[in-house]
């Protein structure tokens, strides 16, 4: 790695350095290229930007972090019940890595890495701002930081010793937030093939804040949302200028359809549809705010409510990941699901659809079992 000049005059800027390297791939060669810089934008955010070739990488690392009790050790974030990092960033939709270095890096060349995806936006047509960069908040749990060997070794023997040690799981403990000596971010060309342009992948990562959050066994927030929001919302589907969530391509051309009813009646229908579509848009924006807050949550999407009493028929409450066969639910059933979610660890950070089974006599378990199945599906997705 080679050091680069840092931007900005503030002392905080000197706590971070950028580096560029050829990557860890066996295909990487000495001619791999990378350009990067660490600057401050007009909003006071630190900005890590540049470009790398297909096998290149660029990294931003903090200065050596030291414990107040023992300067030889790194800082310990495992005390106080902390379970991970919350990062508020503005980026380009690329895939990045957060990495942590402990004494294992100095001894064995092993660091702990957590990969995360950033968000981007589609610039409005004809607008002055053509940027695709978008703010988002990412949660990086300590348990998701996995050990990875880095290729910087003085001799071949050192590299072999490190790989042998890494193969012995007892020598490389799981990362739980202890002994953090360096914290950094990395962009790798191989992780971002869709951004290759003229042989290079460009990247942009602005850091607003990095905080720690405490482990929370149950959801802190249960949010009732709209089942018309699809399981996956692509950036092009969110139209902030007209406050709509476009889930059907036909919607964009509905204004060209000829109606056989009079204009006054048509306006009433359009008003009802507009209010409904706008509500869906704001429900989705509410979901995004909760996800970016750093709080643990459960988001329950429903198609509507009715006044049936819980247990008045043999149909069961269904909790599912997809928005197929969604029917209105009773307020009593919804209250049971909300009350169960608040006390259920498997409901943490879940987005689900709630409906009622239309097949009588079919039972699919207690609510805690349904949350557990959804949590398992989310992990394997």
């Amino acid at each position: 790695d080679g050091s680069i000049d840092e931007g900005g005059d503030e002392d905080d800027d000197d706590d971070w350095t950028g580096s560029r390297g050829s990557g860890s791939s066996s295909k990487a060669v000495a001619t791999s290229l990378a350009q990067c810089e660490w600057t401050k934008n007009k909003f006071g955010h630190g900005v890590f930007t540049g470009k790398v070739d297909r096998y290149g990488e660029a990294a931003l690392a903090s200065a050596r972090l030291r414990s107040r009790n023992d300067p030889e050790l790194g800082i310990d974030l495992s005390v106080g019940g902390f379970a991970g990092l919350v990062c508020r960033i503005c980026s380009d939709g690329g895939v990045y890595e957060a990495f942590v270095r402990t004494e294992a890096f100095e001894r064995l060349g092993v660091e702990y890495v957590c990969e995360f995806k950033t968000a981007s936006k589609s610039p409005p047509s004809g607008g002055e701002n053509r940027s695709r960069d978008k703010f988002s908040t990412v949660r990086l749990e300590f348990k998701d930081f996995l050990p990875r060997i880095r290729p910087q070794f003085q001799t071949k023997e050192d590299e072999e010793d490190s790989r042998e040690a890494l193969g012995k799981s007892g020598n490389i403990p799981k990362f739980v937030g202890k002994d953090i000596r360096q914290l950094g971010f990395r962009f790798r060309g191989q992780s971002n093939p869709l951004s290759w342009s003229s042989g290079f992948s460009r990247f942009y990562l602005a850091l607003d804040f990095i905080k720690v959050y405490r482990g929370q066994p149950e959801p802190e927030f249960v949010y009732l949302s709209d089942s018309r929001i699809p399981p996956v919302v692509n950036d092009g589907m969110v139209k902030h200028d007209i406050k709509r969530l476009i889930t059907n391509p036909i919607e964009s051309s509905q204004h060209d359809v000829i109606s056989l009813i009079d204009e006054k009646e048509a306006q009433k229908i359009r008003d009802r549809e507009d209010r409904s579509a706008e509500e869906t848009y704001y429900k989705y924006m509410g979901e995004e705010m909760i996800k970016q807050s750093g709080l643990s949550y459960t988001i329950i999407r429903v198609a509507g409510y009715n006044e049936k009493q819980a247990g008045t028929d043999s149909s069961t409450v269904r909790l599912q990941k997809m928005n197929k066969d969604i029917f209105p639910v009773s307020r009593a059933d919804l209250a049971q699901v909300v009350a169960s979610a608040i006390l259920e660890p498997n409901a943490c950070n879940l987005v689900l659809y709630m409906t009622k089974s239309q097949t009588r006599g079919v039972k699919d378990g207690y609510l805690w079992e349904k949350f557990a199945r959804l949590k398992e599906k989310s992990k394997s997705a």
Side-chain angles (χ1 to χ4, degrees), residues 281-318:
Y281 166 83
Y282 280 113
K283 286 287 183 68
Y284 170 75
M285 296 305 297
E287 289 186 8
E288 291 300 294
M289 291 176 64
I290 293 170
K291 291 177 183 178
Q292 295 171 10
S293 68
L295 298 173
S296 58
Y297 59 85
T298 302
I299 295 175
I300 303 174
R301 295 171 176 169
V302 296
Y305 314 102
N306 57 50
E307 299 300 333
K308 292 182 179 180
Q309 296 297 314
T312 56
D313 58 42
S314 58
S315 63
T316 60
V317 170
R318 300 292 301 273

Side-chain angles (χ1 to χ4, degrees), residues 268-281:
K268 292 180 180 179
I269 295 175
R270 283 197 294 269
D271 288 344
R272 288 198 297 270
E273 290 178 346
D274 284 352
R275 284 196 296 272
S276 178
E278 192 170 296
E279 288 171 2
T280 302
Y281 166 83

Side-chain angles (χ1 to χ4, degrees), residues 4 35 92 107 132 161 202 206 215 233 249 251 277 327 368 371:
I4 64 171
Q35 296 178 359
D92 51 10
R107 177 169 56 93
R132 294 181 55 85
D161 290 344
R202 299 182 179 275
V233 178
E251 293 181 40
F327 303 97
W368 67 267
F371 282 121

Side-chain angles (χ1 to χ4, degrees), residues 140-208:
L140 308 174
E141 295 189 60
F142 290 153
K143 65 181 181 63
D144 292 332
F145 282 80
L146 304 179
R148 179 190 294 173
I149 192 169
R150 294 293 295 163
Q152 291 86 0
F153 295 100
Q154 298 297 324
T155 66
K156 186 69 175 177
E157 289 73 17
D158 289 341
E159 180 177 358
E160 291 175 353
D161 290 344
S162 180
R163 292 188 181 280
E164 181 181 355
L166 186 59
K168 300 176 181 178
S169 58
N171 290 346
I172 308 297
K174 292 182 179 180
F175 180 68
V176 293
K178 291 184 177 180
D179 192 29
I180 301 176
R181 304 189 180 191
Q182 273 191 307
L183 172 66
F185 296 90
R186 181 180 293 115
F187 181 87
R188 296 161 55 90
Q190 286 184 292
S191 300
N192 294 272
L194 298 181
S195 65
W196 293 343
S197 177
S198 303
F200 285 90
S201 293
R202 299 182 179 275
F203 64 91
Y204 179 93
L205 181 69
L207 299 174
D208 184 7

Side-chain angles (χ1 to χ4, degrees), residues 200-261:
F200 285 90
S201 293
R202 299 182 179 275
F203 64 91
Y204 179 93
L205 181 69
L207 299 174
D208 184 7
F209 63 71
I210 303 174
K211 301 180 180 180
V212 290
Y213 69 88
R214 287 185 169 86
Q216 180 68 23
E218 298 94 15
E220 299 170 272
F221 203 102
V222 177
Y223 181 75
L224 301 184
S225 191
D226 194 330
S227 66
R228 287 171 293 187
I229 301 173
V232 178
V233 178
N234 298 319
D235 184 59
M237 298 165 61
V238 184
K239 305 297 182 183
H240 298 290
D241 52 342
I242 59 173
K243 295 181 175 57
R244 295 291 183 275
L245 196 65
I246 306 300
T247 59
N248 187 344
I250 299 177
E251 293 181 40
S252 61
S253 58
Q254 279 185 343
H255 62 277
D256 296 328
V257 178
I258 299 176
S259 176
L260 297 180
I261 60 179

Side-chain angles (χ1 to χ4, degrees), residues 6 10 22 45 47 59 75-76 100 144 169 226 229 307:
E6 301 162 21
E10 295 292 328
S22 58
H45 301 150
V47 178
I75 60 176
D76 186 357
V100 170
D144 292 332
S169 58
D226 194 330
I229 301 173
E307 299 300 333

